[in-house]
Amino acid sequence: MTTKLDSARWKDTLELLACDVDSRPAAPLTDELLPFLTSVSRTTETIVVTYDRAAADLFAAFAAAESVCCASLGWSVDETASTLTVTASPTQLDALQEVFATK
């Protein structure tokens, strides 16, 4: 995962999300996904990112990689609905919402 957050803020975010970036397999990064986002919504337990169907492979690879390095979060892709759903604590969702914020 990478993002437009400054490096100090990014380090704090990775800590909050309990991510071990060294264990992350090669895959698209957050910045590569942003052009394909169509919406981001939030519930009390999830962030749901809807994306352009043309980017389904990117989102599937991203979720698979994040499941390794940020294993304490729930990552699932629904290719039929073109959604990425992340299950996390409210504080972690706050951080993710900022990561997936569009320009």
Side-chain angles (χ1 to χ4, degrees):
M1 192 185 298
T2 187
T3 186
K4 58 190 175 288
L5 300 176
D6 66 60
S7 61
R9 182 83 185 263
W10 186 236
K11 184 178 177 187
D12 292 344
T13 298
L14 289 175
E15 220 172 274
L16 175 67
L17 297 176
C19 291
D20 176 11
V21 294
D22 293 334
S23 69
R24 188 181 194 275
L29 302 171
T30 308
D31 290 344
E32 297 170 72
L33 304 180
L34 294 179
F36 300 101
L37 299 186
T38 58
S39 69
V40 179
S41 60
R42 179 173 171 176
T43 68
T44 56
E45 299 176 349
T46 65
I47 290 271
V48 179
V49 177
T50 305
Y51 56 85
D52 183 319
R53 212 171 281 258
D57 290 345
L58 289 174
F59 279 83
F62 173 81
E66 294 300 317
S67 293
V68 172
C69 71
C70 300
S72 66
L73 307 179
W75 300 88
S76 66
V77 173
D78 180 337
E79 291 185 11
T80 303
S82 298
T83 58
L84 165 67
T85 302
V86 186
T87 305
S89 73
T91 305
Q92 290 170 320
L93 292 174
D94 289 342
L96 286 169
Q97 196 162 10
E98 188 171 353
V99 168
F100 285 111
T102 56
K103 306 165 189 109

Coordinates of all heavy atoms in Angstrom, one line a residue:
M1 N 0.9 -1.2 0.0 CA 0.0 0.0 0.0 C 0.9 1.2 0.0 O 1.9 1.3 0.7 CB -0.9 0.0 1.3 CG -2.0 0.9 1.3 SD -2.9 1.0 2.9 CE -3.5 -0.7 3.0
T2 N 0.6 2.2 -0.8 CA 1.3 3.5 -0.7 C 0.2 4.6 -1.0 O -0.9 4.3 -1.4 CB 2.4 3.6 -1.7 OG1 3.1 4.8 -1.4 CG2 2.0 3.6 -3.1
T3 N 0.5 5.8 -0.6 CA -0.5 6.8 -0.8 C 0.2 8.2 -0.8 O 1.4 8.3 -0.7 CB -1.5 6.7 0.4 OG1 -2.5 7.7 0.2 CG2 -0.8 7.0 1.7
K4 N -0.7 9.2 -1.0 CA -0.2 10.6 -1.0 C 0.1 11.2 0.3 O 0.5 12.3 0.4 CB -1.2 11.4 -1.8 CG -2.6 11.4 -1.2 CD -3.6 12.1 -2.2 CE -5.0 12.0 -1.7 NZ -5.6 10.7 -1.8
L5 N -0.1 10.4 1.4 CA 0.2 10.9 2.8 C 1.7 11.1 2.9 O 2.5 10.4 2.3 CB -0.2 9.9 3.8 CG -1.7 9.5 3.9 CD1 -1.9 8.5 4.9 CD2 -2.6 10.7 4.1
D6 N 2.1 12.1 3.7 CA 3.6 12.4 3.9 C 4.2 11.2 4.6 O 3.4 10.4 5.2 CB 3.8 13.7 4.6 CG 3.3 13.7 6.0 OD1 3.7 12.8 6.9 OD2 2.4 14.6 6.4
S7 N 5.5 11.0 4.6 CA 6.1 9.8 5.1 C 5.9 9.6 6.6 O 5.7 8.4 7.0 CB 7.6 9.8 4.7 OG 8.2 10.9 5.4
A8 N 5.9 10.6 7.4 CA 5.7 10.4 8.8 C 4.3 10.0 9.1 O 4.0 9.0 9.9 CB 6.0 11.7 9.6
R9 N 3.3 10.6 8.4 CA 1.9 10.2 8.6 C 1.7 8.8 8.0 O 0.9 8.0 8.6 CB 1.0 11.2 7.8 CG -0.4 11.0 7.9 CD -0.9 11.6 9.2 NE -2.3 11.3 9.4 CZ -3.3 12.1 9.1 NH1 -3.1 13.3 8.6 NH2 -4.6 11.7 9.3
W10 N 2.4 8.4 6.9 CA 2.2 7.1 6.4 C 2.7 6.0 7.3 O 2.1 5.0 7.5 CB 3.0 7.1 5.0 CG 2.8 5.8 4.3 CD1 3.7 4.9 3.9 CD2 1.5 5.2 3.9 NE1 3.1 3.8 3.3 CE2 1.8 4.0 3.3 CE3 0.2 5.6 4.1 CZ2 0.8 3.1 2.8 CZ3 -0.8 4.7 3.6 CH2 -0.5 3.5 3.0
K11 N 3.9 6.3 8.0 CA 4.4 5.4 8.9 C 3.4 5.1 10.1 O 3.2 4.0 10.5 CB 5.7 5.9 9.5 CG 6.4 4.9 10.4 CD 7.7 5.5 10.9 CE 8.4 4.5 11.9 NZ 9.5 5.0 12.5
D12 N 2.8 6.2 10.6 CA 1.8 6.1 11.6 C 0.6 5.3 11.1 O 0.0 4.4 11.9 CB 1.3 7.5 12.1 CG 2.4 8.2 12.8 OD1 3.4 7.6 13.3 OD2 2.2 9.5 12.9
T13 N 0.2 5.5 9.9 CA -0.9 4.7 9.3 C -0.6 3.3 9.3 O -1.5 2.4 9.6 CB -1.3 5.3 8.0 OG1 -1.7 6.7 8.1 CG2 -2.5 4.5 7.3
L14 N 0.6 2.9 8.8 CA 1.0 1.5 8.7 C 1.0 0.9 10.1 O 0.6 -0.3 10.2 CB 2.3 1.4 8.0 CG 2.4 1.7 6.5 CD1 3.8 1.7 6.0 CD2 1.5 0.8 5.7
E15 N 1.4 1.6 11.1 CA 1.4 1.1 12.4 C 0.0 0.8 12.9 O -0.3 -0.2 13.5 CB 2.2 2.1 13.3 CG 3.0 1.5 14.4 CD 3.9 2.5 15.1 OE1 4.9 2.9 14.6 OE2 3.4 2.9 16.2
L16 N -0.9 1.8 12.7 CA -2.2 1.7 13.1 C -2.9 0.5 12.4 O -3.7 -0.2 13.1 CB -3.0 3.0 12.8 CG -4.5 3.0 13.0 CD1 -4.8 2.9 14.5 CD2 -5.1 4.2 12.5
L17 N -2.6 0.3 11.2 CA -3.2 -0.8 10.4 C -2.5 -2.2 10.7 O -3.0 -3.2 10.2 CB -3.2 -0.5 8.9 CG -4.0 0.7 8.5 CD1 -3.8 0.9 7.0 CD2 -5.5 0.6 8.8
A18 N -1.5 -2.2 11.5 CA -0.7 -3.4 11.8 C -0.2 -4.0 10.6 O -0.3 -5.3 10.4 CB -1.5 -4.3 12.7
C19 N 0.4 -3.2 9.6 CA 0.9 -3.8 8.4 C 2.3 -4.1 8.4 O 3.1 -3.2 8.9 CB 0.6 -2.8 7.2 SG -1.1 -2.6 6.8
D20 N 2.7 -5.2 7.9 CA 4.1 -5.6 7.8 C 4.4 -5.5 6.3 O 4.3 -6.5 5.6 CB 4.3 -7.0 8.3 CG 5.7 -7.6 8.1 OD1 6.6 -6.8 7.7 OD2 5.9 -8.8 8.3
V21 N 4.8 -4.3 5.9 CA 5.1 -4.1 4.5 C 6.2 -4.9 3.9 O 6.2 -5.2 2.7 CB 5.3 -2.6 4.2 CG1 4.1 -1.7 4.5 CG2 6.5 -2.0 4.9
D22 N 7.1 -5.4 4.7 CA 8.2 -6.2 4.2 C 7.6 -7.6 3.7 O 8.3 -8.3 2.9 CB 9.3 -6.4 5.2 CG 10.0 -5.1 5.5 OD1 10.0 -4.3 4.6 OD2 10.5 -5.0 6.6
S23 N 6.5 -8.0 4.2 CA 5.9 -9.3 3.8 C 5.0 -9.2 2.6 O 4.5 -10.2 2.1 CB 5.2 -9.9 5.0 OG 4.0 -9.2 5.3
R24 N 4.7 -8.0 2.2 CA 3.8 -7.7 1.1 C 4.3 -8.2 -0.3 O 5.4 -7.8 -0.7 CB 3.4 -6.3 0.9 CG 2.3 -6.0 0.0 CD 2.1 -4.5 -0.1 NE 0.8 -4.1 -0.8 CZ 0.7 -4.0 -2.1 NH1 1.7 -4.2 -2.9 NH2 -0.5 -3.7 -2.6
P25 N 3.6 -9.1 -0.9 CA 4.0 -9.6 -2.3 C 3.9 -8.4 -3.3 O 3.1 -7.5 -3.1 CB 3.1 -10.7 -2.6 CG 2.1 -10.8 -1.5 CD 2.4 -9.8 -0.5
A26 N 4.6 -8.5 -4.4 CA 4.5 -7.5 -5.5 C 3.0 -7.5 -5.9 O 2.4 -8.5 -6.2 CB 5.4 -7.9 -6.6
A27 N 2.5 -6.3 -6.0 CA 1.1 -6.1 -6.4 C 0.9 -4.6 -6.6 O 1.7 -3.8 -6.2 CB 0.1 -6.6 -5.4
P28 N -0.2 -4.2 -7.3 CA -0.5 -2.8 -7.4 C -0.6 -2.1 -6.0 O -0.9 -2.7 -5.0 CB -1.9 -2.7 -8.1 CG -2.0 -4.1 -8.7 CD -1.3 -5.0 -7.8
L29 N -0.2 -0.8 -6.0 CA -0.2 0.0 -4.8 C -1.5 0.9 -4.8 O -2.1 1.1 -5.9 CB 1.0 0.8 -4.7 CG 2.3 0.0 -4.7 CD1 3.5 1.0 -4.8 CD2 2.4 -0.8 -3.4
T30 N -1.8 1.4 -3.7 CA -3.0 2.3 -3.6 C -3.1 3.4 -4.7 O -4.1 3.6 -5.3 CB -3.1 2.9 -2.2 OG1 -3.0 1.9 -1.2 CG2 -4.4 3.6 -2.0
D31 N -1.9 4.1 -4.9 CA -1.9 5.1 -5.8 C -2.3 4.7 -7.2 O -2.9 5.4 -8.0 CB -0.5 5.8 -5.9 CG -0.2 6.6 -4.6 OD1 -1.1 6.9 -3.9 OD2 1.0 6.9 -4.4
E32 N -2.0 3.4 -7.5 CA -2.4 2.9 -8.9 C -3.9 2.6 -9.0 O -4.4 2.5 -10.1 CB -1.6 1.6 -9.1 CG -0.1 1.8 -9.2 CD 0.7 0.6 -9.2 OE1 0.7 -0.1 -10.3 OE2 1.4 0.2 -8.2
L33 N -4.5 2.4 -7.8 CA -6.0 2.1 -7.8 C -6.8 3.4 -7.9 O -8.0 3.3 -8.4 CB -6.3 1.4 -6.5 CG -5.6 0.1 -6.2 CD1 -6.1 -0.5 -4.9 CD2 -5.8 -0.9 -7.4
L34 N -6.3 4.5 -7.4 CA -7.1 5.7 -7.2 C -7.8 6.1 -8.5 O -9.0 6.6 -8.5 CB -6.3 6.8 -6.6 CG -5.9 6.6 -5.2 CD1 -5.0 7.8 -4.7 CD2 -7.0 6.4 -4.2
P35 N -7.2 6.1 -9.7 CA -7.9 6.5 -10.9 C -9.1 5.7 -11.2 O -10.0 6.1 -12.0 CB -6.8 6.4 -12.0 CG -5.5 6.3 -11.3 CD -5.8 5.7 -10.0
F36 N -9.2 4.5 -10.7 CA -10.3 3.6 -11.0 C -11.5 3.6 -10.0 O -12.5 2.9 -10.2 CB -9.8 2.2 -11.2 CG -8.8 2.1 -12.3 CD1 -7.4 2.0 -11.9 CD2 -9.1 2.0 -13.6 CE1 -6.5 1.9 -12.9 CE2 -8.2 1.9 -14.6 CZ -6.8 1.9 -14.3
L37 N -11.3 4.4 -8.9 CA -12.4 4.5 -7.9 C -13.6 5.2 -8.4 O -13.5 6.2 -9.1 CB -11.9 5.2 -6.6 CG -10.7 4.6 -5.9 CD1 -10.5 5.5 -4.6 CD2 -10.9 3.2 -5.5
T38 N -14.7 4.6 -8.2 CA -16.0 5.4 -8.5 C -16.7 5.8 -7.3 O -17.4 6.8 -7.3 CB -16.9 4.5 -9.4 OG1 -17.2 3.3 -8.7 CG2 -16.2 4.1 -10.7
S39 N -16.5 5.2 -6.1 CA -17.1 5.7 -4.9 C -16.4 5.0 -3.7 O -15.8 3.9 -3.9 CB -18.6 5.4 -4.8 OG -18.9 4.1 -4.7
V40 N -16.5 5.6 -2.6 CA -16.0 5.0 -1.3 C -17.1 5.3 -0.3 O -17.5 6.4 -0.1 CB -14.7 5.7 -0.9 CG1 -14.2 5.1 0.5 CG2 -13.6 5.5 -1.9
S41 N -17.5 4.2 0.4 CA -18.6 4.4 1.4 C -18.1 3.7 2.7 O -17.2 2.8 2.6 CB -19.9 3.9 0.9 OG -19.8 2.5 0.6
R42 N -18.7 4.0 3.8 CA -18.3 3.5 5.0 C -19.5 3.1 5.9 O -20.5 3.8 5.9 CB -17.5 4.5 5.8 CG -17.0 4.0 7.1 CD -16.0 5.0 7.7 NE -15.8 4.6 9.1 CZ -14.9 5.1 9.9 NH1 -14.3 6.2 9.5 NH2 -14.8 4.7 11.1
T43 N -19.3 1.9 6.6 CA -20.3 1.6 7.6 C -19.5 1.6 8.9 O -18.4 2.0 8.9 CB -20.9 0.1 7.3 OG1 -19.8 -0.8 7.5 CG2 -21.4 0.0 5.9
T44 N -20.1 1.1 10.0 CA -19.4 1.1 11.2 C -18.3 0.1 11.3 O -17.3 0.2 12.0 CB -20.4 0.8 12.4 OG1 -21.0 -0.5 12.1 CG2 -21.4 1.9 12.6
E45 N -18.3 -0.9 10.4 CA -17.3 -2.0 10.4 C -16.5 -2.1 9.1 O -15.6 -2.9 9.0 CB -18.0 -3.3 10.7 CG -18.6 -3.4 12.1 CD -19.3 -4.7 12.4 OE1 -19.5 -5.5 11.4 OE2 -19.7 -4.9 13.5
T46 N -16.9 -1.4 8.0 CA -16.3 -1.6 6.7 C -16.1 -0.3 6.0 O -16.8 0.7 6.2 CB -17.1 -2.6 5.8 OG1 -18.3 -1.9 5.5 CG2 -17.3 -3.9 6.4
I47 N -15.2 -0.4 5.0 CA -15.0 0.6 3.9 C -15.3 -0.2 2.7 O -14.8 -1.3 2.5 CB -13.6 1.1 3.8 CG1 -13.2 2.0 5.0 CG2 -13.3 1.8 2.5 CD1 -13.6 3.5 4.9
V48 N -16.2 0.3 1.8 CA -16.5 -0.3 0.6 C -16.1 0.6 -0.5 O -16.6 1.7 -0.7 CB -18.0 -0.7 0.5 CG1 -18.3 -1.3 -0.9 CG2 -18.5 -1.6 1.6
V49 N -15.2 0.1 -1.3 CA -14.6 0.9 -2.5 C -15.2 0.3 -3.7 O -15.0 -0.9 -4.0 CB -13.1 0.8 -2.5 CG1 -12.5 1.5 -3.7 CG2 -12.5 1.3 -1.2
T50 N -15.9 1.1 -4.5 CA -16.5 0.6 -5.8 C -15.5 1.1 -6.9 O -15.0 2.3 -6.8 CB -17.9 1.2 -6.0 OG1 -18.7 0.8 -4.9 CG2 -18.5 0.7 -7.3
Y51 N -15.2 0.3 -7.8 CA -14.2 0.6 -8.8 C -14.7 0.3 -10.2 O -15.7 -0.5 -10.4 CB -12.9 -0.2 -8.6 CG -13.1 -1.7 -8.5 CD1 -13.0 -2.4 -9.6 CD2 -13.2 -2.3 -7.2 CE1 -13.2 -3.8 -9.5 CE2 -13.4 -3.7 -7.1 CZ -13.3 -4.4 -8.3 OH -13.5 -5.8 -8.2
D52 N -14.1 0.8 -11.2 CA -14.3 0.6 -12.6 C -14.0 -0.9 -12.9 O -13.0 -1.4 -12.6 CB -13.5 1.5 -13.5 CG -13.7 1.4 -14.9 OD1 -13.9 0.2 -15.4 OD2 -13.7 2.4 -15.6
R53 N -15.0 -1.6 -13.5 CA -14.8 -3.0 -13.8 C -13.6 -3.3 -14.6 O -13.0 -4.4 -14.4 CB -16.1 -3.4 -14.6 CG -16.5 -4.8 -14.4 CD -17.8 -5.1 -15.1 NE -18.9 -4.5 -14.3 CZ -19.7 -5.2 -13.5 NH1 -19.6 -6.5 -13.5 NH2 -20.6 -4.7 -12.8
A54 N -13.1 -2.4 -15.4 CA -11.8 -2.6 -16.1 C -10.6 -2.9 -15.3 O -9.6 -3.4 -15.7 CB -11.6 -1.4 -17.1
A55 N -10.7 -2.5 -14.0 CA -9.6 -2.6 -13.1 C -9.8 -3.8 -12.1 O -9.0 -3.9 -11.1 CB -9.4 -1.3 -12.3
A56 N -10.6 -4.7 -12.4 CA -10.9 -5.8 -11.5 C -9.6 -6.6 -11.2 O -9.4 -7.0 -10.0 CB -11.9 -6.8 -12.1
D57 N -8.8 -6.9 -12.1 CA -7.5 -7.6 -11.8 C -6.6 -6.8 -10.9 O -6.0 -7.4 -10.0 CB -6.8 -7.9 -13.1 CG -7.5 -9.0 -14.0 OD1 -8.4 -9.7 -13.4 OD2 -7.2 -9.1 -15.2
L58 N -6.5 -5.5 -11.1 CA -5.7 -4.7 -10.2 C -6.2 -4.8 -8.7 O -5.4 -5.0 -7.8 CB -5.7 -3.2 -10.6 CG -5.0 -2.9 -11.9 CD1 -5.3 -1.4 -12.2 CD2 -3.5 -3.1 -11.7
F59 N -7.5 -4.7 -8.5 CA -8.1 -4.7 -7.2 C -8.0 -6.1 -6.6 O -7.7 -6.2 -5.4 CB -9.5 -4.2 -7.2 CG -9.6 -2.7 -7.2 CD1 -9.5 -2.0 -8.4 CD2 -9.8 -2.0 -6.0 CE1 -9.6 -0.6 -8.4 CE2 -9.9 -0.6 -6.0 CZ -9.8 0.1 -7.2
A60 N -8.1 -7.1 -7.4 CA -8.0 -8.5 -6.8 C -6.5 -8.7 -6.4 O -6.3 -9.3 -5.3 CB -8.4 -9.5 -7.9
A61 N -5.6 -8.3 -7.2 CA -4.1 -8.4 -6.8 C -3.8 -7.6 -5.6 O -3.1 -8.1 -4.7 CB -3.2 -8.1 -8.0
F62 N -4.3 -6.4 -5.5 CA -4.1 -5.5 -4.3 C -4.7 -6.2 -3.1 O -4.0 -6.3 -2.1 CB -4.8 -4.2 -4.6 CG -4.8 -3.3 -3.4 CD1 -3.7 -2.5 -3.1 CD2 -5.9 -3.1 -2.6 CE1 -3.7 -1.7 -2.0 CE2 -5.9 -2.3 -1.5 CZ -4.8 -1.6 -1.2
A63 N -5.9 -6.7 -3.1 CA -6.5 -7.3 -1.9 C -5.7 -8.5 -1.5 O -5.6 -8.7 -0.3 CB -8.0 -7.6 -2.2
A64 N -5.3 -9.3 -2.5 CA -4.5 -10.5 -2.1 C -3.2 -10.1 -1.4 O -2.8 -10.7 -0.4 CB -4.2 -11.3 -3.4
A65 N -2.5 -9.1 -1.9 CA -1.3 -8.7 -1.3 C -1.5 -8.1 0.1 O -0.8 -8.3 1.1 CB -0.6 -7.6 -2.2
E66 N -2.6 -7.2 0.2 CA -2.9 -6.6 1.5 C -3.3 -7.7 2.6 O -3.1 -7.5 3.7 CB -4.0 -5.6 1.3 CG -3.5 -4.4 0.5 CD -2.3 -3.6 1.1 OE1 -2.3 -3.4 2.3 OE2 -1.4 -3.3 0.3
S67 N -3.9 -8.7 2.1 CA -4.3 -9.8 3.0 C -3.1 -10.5 3.7 O -3.2 -11.0 4.8 CB -5.1 -10.9 2.3 OG -6.3 -10.4 1.9
V68 N -1.9 -10.4 3.0 CA -0.7 -10.9 3.6 C 0.0 -9.9 4.5 O 0.3 -10.2 5.6 CB 0.3 -11.2 2.4 CG1 1.7 -11.6 3.0 CG2 -0.3 -12.4 1.6
C69 N 0.1 -8.6 4.1 CA 0.9 -7.7 4.9 C 0.0 -7.0 6.0 O 0.5 -6.6 7.0 CB 1.6 -6.6 4.1 SG 0.5 -5.5 3.2
C70 N -1.3 -6.9 5.8 CA -2.2 -6.3 6.7 C -3.3 -7.4 7.1 O -4.5 -7.2 6.9 CB -2.9 -5.1 6.2 SG -1.7 -3.8 5.7
A71 N -2.8 -8.5 7.6 CA -3.6 -9.6 7.8 C -4.6 -9.5 8.9 O -5.6 -10.2 9.0 CB -2.7 -10.9 8.1
S72 N -4.5 -8.5 9.8 CA -5.5 -8.3 10.8 C -6.8 -7.6 10.3 O -7.8 -7.6 11.0 CB -4.9 -7.4 12.0 OG -4.6 -6.1 11.5
L73 N -6.7 -7.1 9.1 CA -7.9 -6.5 8.4 C -8.5 -7.6 7.5 O -7.8 -8.5 7.0 CB -7.5 -5.3 7.6 CG -6.7 -4.2 8.3 CD1 -6.4 -3.1 7.4 CD2 -7.4 -3.7 9.6
G74 N -9.8 -7.4 7.3 CA -10.5 -8.3 6.3 C -10.5 -7.7 5.0 O -11.0 -6.6 4.8
W75 N -10.0 -8.4 4.0 CA -10.0 -7.8 2.6 C -10.8 -8.8 1.7 O -10.5 -10.0 1.6 CB -8.5 -7.8 2.1 CG -7.6 -6.9 2.9 CD1 -6.9 -7.3 4.0 CD2 -7.4 -5.6 2.7 NE1 -6.2 -6.3 4.5 CE2 -6.5 -5.2 3.7 CE3 -7.8 -4.6 1.8 CZ2 -6.0 -3.9 3.8 CZ3 -7.3 -3.3 1.9 CH2 -6.4 -3.0 2.9
S76 N -11.8 -8.3 1.0 CA -12.5 -9.1 0.1 C -12.9 -8.3 -1.2 O -13.2 -7.1 -1.1 CB -13.8 -9.7 0.7 OG -14.7 -8.7 1.1
V77 N -12.9 -9.0 -2.3 CA -13.3 -8.4 -3.6 C -14.5 -9.1 -4.1 O -14.5 -10.4 -4.1 CB -12.1 -8.5 -4.6 CG1 -12.5 -8.0 -6.0 CG2 -10.9 -7.6 -4.1
D78 N -15.4 -8.4 -4.5 CA -16.6 -8.9 -5.2 C -16.5 -8.4 -6.7 O -16.9 -7.3 -7.0 CB -17.9 -8.5 -4.5 CG -19.2 -9.0 -5.2 OD1 -19.1 -9.4 -6.4 OD2 -20.2 -9.0 -4.5
E79 N -16.1 -9.3 -7.5 CA -15.9 -8.9 -8.9 C -17.2 -8.6 -9.7 O -17.2 -7.8 -10.6 CB -15.0 -9.9 -9.7 CG -13.6 -9.9 -9.2 CD -12.7 -10.9 -9.9 OE1 -13.1 -11.4 -11.0 OE2 -11.5 -11.1 -9.5
T80 N -18.3 -9.3 -9.2 CA -19.6 -9.0 -9.8 C -20.0 -7.6 -9.5 O -20.5 -6.9 -10.4 CB -20.6 -10.1 -9.3 OG1 -20.1 -11.4 -9.6 CG2 -21.9 -9.9 -10.0
A81 N -19.9 -7.2 -8.3 CA -20.3 -5.9 -7.9 C -19.2 -4.8 -8.1 O -19.5 -3.6 -7.9 CB -20.8 -5.9 -6.4
S82 N -18.0 -5.2 -8.5 CA -16.9 -4.3 -8.6 C -16.6 -3.6 -7.3 O -16.5 -2.3 -7.3 CB -17.0 -3.4 -9.8 OG -17.2 -4.1 -11.0
T83 N -16.5 -4.3 -6.2 CA -16.2 -3.7 -4.9 C -15.1 -4.4 -4.2 O -14.9 -5.6 -4.3 CB -17.5 -3.7 -4.0 OG1 -17.9 -5.1 -3.8 CG2 -18.6 -2.9 -4.6
L84 N -14.4 -3.6 -3.4 CA -13.4 -4.0 -2.5 C -13.9 -3.6 -1.1 O -14.3 -2.5 -0.9 CB -12.1 -3.3 -2.7 CG -11.0 -3.4 -1.6 CD1 -10.5 -4.8 -1.4 CD2 -9.9 -2.4 -1.8
T85 N -14.1 -4.6 -0.2 CA -14.6 -4.4 1.1 C -13.5 -4.7 2.1 O -12.9 -5.7 2.0 CB -15.8 -5.2 1.4 OG1 -16.8 -4.9 0.4 CG2 -16.4 -4.9 2.8
V86 N -13.2 -3.7 3.0 CA -12.2 -3.9 4.0 C -12.9 -3.8 5.4 O -13.6 -2.8 5.7 CB -11.1 -2.8 4.0 CG1 -10.0 -3.1 5.0 CG2 -10.6 -2.7 2.5
T87 N -12.7 -4.8 6.2 CA -13.3 -4.9 7.5 C -12.2 -4.5 8.5 O -11.1 -5.1 8.5 CB -13.9 -6.3 7.8 OG1 -14.8 -6.6 6.8 CG2 -14.6 -6.3 9.2
A88 N -12.5 -3.6 9.4 CA -11.5 -3.1 10.4 C -12.1 -2.4 11.6 O -13.4 -2.2 11.6 CB -10.5 -2.2 9.7
S89 N -11.3 -2.1 12.5 CA -11.8 -1.3 13.7 C -12.2 0.1 13.2 O -11.7 0.6 12.2 CB -10.8 -1.2 14.8 OG -9.7 -0.3 14.4
P90 N -13.0 0.9 14.0 CA -13.3 2.2 13.6 C -12.1 3.1 13.4 O -12.1 3.9 12.4 CB -14.2 2.7 14.7 CG -14.8 1.5 15.3 CD -13.8 0.4 15.1
T91 N -11.1 3.0 14.2 CA -9.9 3.8 14.1 C -9.1 3.5 12.8 O -8.7 4.3 12.1 CB -9.0 3.7 15.3 OG1 -9.7 4.0 16.5 CG2 -7.8 4.6 15.2
Q92 N -9.1 2.2 12.5 CA -8.4 1.7 11.3 C -9.2 2.2 10.0 O -8.6 2.6 9.0 CB -8.3 0.2 11.3 CG -7.2 -0.3 12.3 CD -7.3 -1.8 12.4 OE1 -8.3 -2.4 12.5 NE2 -6.1 -2.4 12.5
L93 N -10.5 2.2 10.2 CA -11.4 2.6 9.0 C -11.1 4.1 8.8 O -11.1 4.5 7.6 CB -12.8 2.3 9.3 CG -13.2 0.9 9.3 CD1 -14.7 0.7 9.7 CD2 -13.0 0.2 8.0
D94 N -10.9 4.9 9.8 CA -10.6 6.3 9.6 C -9.4 6.5 8.8 O -9.4 7.3 7.8 CB -10.4 7.0 11.0 CG -11.6 7.2 11.8 OD1 -12.8 7.1 11.3 OD2 -11.5 7.4 13.1
A95 N -8.4 5.7 9.1 CA -7.1 5.8 8.3 C -7.3 5.3 6.9 O -6.8 6.0 6.0 CB -6.0 4.9 9.0
L96 N -8.0 4.2 6.7 CA -8.3 3.7 5.4 C -9.1 4.7 4.5 O -8.9 4.9 3.3 CB -9.0 2.4 5.4 CG -8.1 1.2 5.8 CD1 -9.0 0.0 6.1 CD2 -7.1 0.9 4.8
Q97 N -10.0 5.4 5.2 CA -10.9 6.3 4.5 C -10.0 7.5 3.9 O -10.2 7.9 2.8 CB -11.9 6.9 5.4 CG -13.0 7.6 4.6 CD -14.3 7.8 5.5 OE1 -14.3 7.5 6.7 NE2 -15.3 8.2 4.9
E98 N -9.0 7.9 4.7 CA -8.0 8.9 4.2 C -7.2 8.3 3.1 O -6.9 9.0 2.1 CB -7.1 9.3 5.4 CG -6.3 10.5 5.0 CD -5.6 11.1 6.2 OE1 -5.8 10.7 7.3 OE2 -4.8 12.0 5.9
V99 N -6.7 7.1 3.2 CA -5.9 6.5 2.1 C -6.7 6.4 0.8 O -6.1 6.7 -0.3 CB -5.5 5.0 2.6 CG1 -4.9 4.3 1.4 CG2 -4.5 5.1 3.7
F100 N -8.0 6.1 0.9 CA -8.8 5.9 -0.4 C -9.5 7.2 -0.8 O -10.2 7.2 -1.8 CB -9.8 4.8 -0.2 CG -9.2 3.4 -0.3 CD1 -9.1 2.6 0.8 CD2 -8.7 3.0 -1.5 CE1 -8.6 1.3 0.7 CE2 -8.1 1.7 -1.6 CZ -8.1 0.9 -0.5
A101 N -9.2 8.3 -0.1 CA -9.8 9.6 -0.5 C -9.2 10.0 -1.9 O -8.0 9.8 -2.1 CB -9.4 10.7 0.5
T102 N -10.1 10.4 -2.7 CA -9.7 10.8 -4.0 C -9.1 12.2 -4.0 O -9.3 13.0 -3.0 CB -10.8 10.7 -5.0 OG1 -11.9 11.5 -4.6 CG2 -11.2 9.3 -5.2
K103 N -8.4 12.6 -5.0 CA -7.7 13.9 -5.1 C -8.6 15.1 -4.8 O -9.6 15.4 -5.0 CB -7.1 14.0 -6.5 CG -6.2 12.9 -6.8 CD -6.0 12.9 -8.3 CE -5.3 11.6 -8.7 NZ -5.9 10.7 -9.5

